[in-house]
Amino acid sequence: MDNRTNTIAGWVLAGCGAALGLSIVGGMVFHGERPEKMGYAIEGVVAEGAGGAAAEVPIASLLPTADPAKGAEVFKKCAACHTVAQGAANGIGPNLYATLGEGIAQGKAGFAFSDALKAVGGKWDFDKMNAWLTSPRKFAPGTKMTFAGLGDPKDRANVIAYLNSQGSNLPLPAAPAAGAAKPAAGAAPAAGDQPATANAAAAAATNGPDTADIANTGTPASGAPSVDPEAARKGARSEK
């Protein structure tokens, strides 16, 4: 009986040891590490960093190089709801012929625009159209438009160029001016940017260098001896 119990206990211990060994080996073989970039990229969504969204490129700087033909391809995403040909009927959304330059939520053969879009007011210019295509819900909260928007600024520029070519033909806005140019290498700094050492150098050129070789011409303080007594005694002994 004792031998049988010992045998069972031995097999149990052996099984535990084998399981522990397999667990260690499995952990070494299938070692998981934290990925360099968490999550999955979603097309059309603009990523935001820890400090907030990246600076948006002005649409005016993209329109000069926009391609209406590429915009026509992107516009196919909109064709399920919109027509764009002159005289075409409204669909789920209004006909978009000659939309740029028109009043927002006006005309279009009496299309029933939402009150949210009517409240925006003004006309469809390039900036407003860019904002609308970026996110209709942010541009006009409460709009009936269900399209999420175009996340790629180049796609928006191409679509806007295409829409502009369909009956609007507005002149493109001027591209934003570039930032002020930095001073060229080696150029003298502006007066307000010169360090304090430059001012000191100018003073030295006028008044002479400020060095330890200059005699002390200052007036002794009141009550101070004009001659060092010890120096006077040494001088008297040297003259004897």
Side-chain angles (χ1 to χ4, degrees):
M1 188 67 178
D2 291 339
N3 290 337
R4 185 177 180 182
T5 301
N6 291 338
T7 301
I8 294 173
W11 280 110
V12 170
L13 290 175
C16 292
L20 179 60
L22 289 173
S23 176
I24 295 173
V25 172
M28 295 174 63
V29 174
F30 301 102
H31 178 62
E33 296 182 353
R34 179 184 177 89
E36 294 182 0
K37 186 174 183 179
M38 301 297 293
Y40 299 90
I42 302 176
E43 184 178 358
V45 177
V46 180
E48 293 188 3
E56 183 67 26
V57 179
I59 193 65
S61 65
L62 298 176
L63 286 173
T65 57
D67 187 345
K70 292 181 179 179
E73 290 297 315
V74 179
F75 185 79
K76 290 179 180 179
K77 299 179 181 180
C78 313
C81 298
H82 296 278
T83 59
V84 72
Q86 183 177 14
N90 294 322
I92 298 175
N95 172 267
L96 298 180
Y97 182 80
T99 294
L100 280 165
E102 285 190 342
I104 297 176
Q106 297 178 18
K108 302 304 182 185
F111 182 84
F113 291 100
S114 66
D115 292 337
L117 192 57
K118 290 178 182 178
V120 174
K123 294 184 177 182
W124 284 116
D125 57 22
F126 294 101
D127 286 329
K128 288 187 177 69
M129 184 60 71
N130 178 56
W132 170 257
L133 292 176
T134 300
S135 176
R137 295 176 184 177
K138 288 183 179 180
F139 181 80
T143 179
K144 294 186 294 185
M145 181 85 157
T146 57
F147 183 62
L150 297 173
D152 189 340
K154 292 183 180 179
D155 282 349
R156 297 198 299 272
N158 290 335
V159 169
I160 292 172
Y162 171 67
L163 291 176
N164 191 42
S165 69
Q166 302 300 307
S168 296
N169 300 312
L170 299 181
L172 298 180
K182 295 182 178 180
D193 297 333
Q194 291 182 359
T197 53
N199 296 331
T206 304
N207 303 324
D210 183 12
T211 68
D213 296 331
I214 298 178
N216 183 8
T217 58
T219 302
S222 177
S226 58
V227 180
D228 185 356
E230 182 62 25
R233 286 195 294 271
K234 290 182 178 180
R237 285 197 298 269
S238 62
E239 291 176 358
K240 292 180 179 180

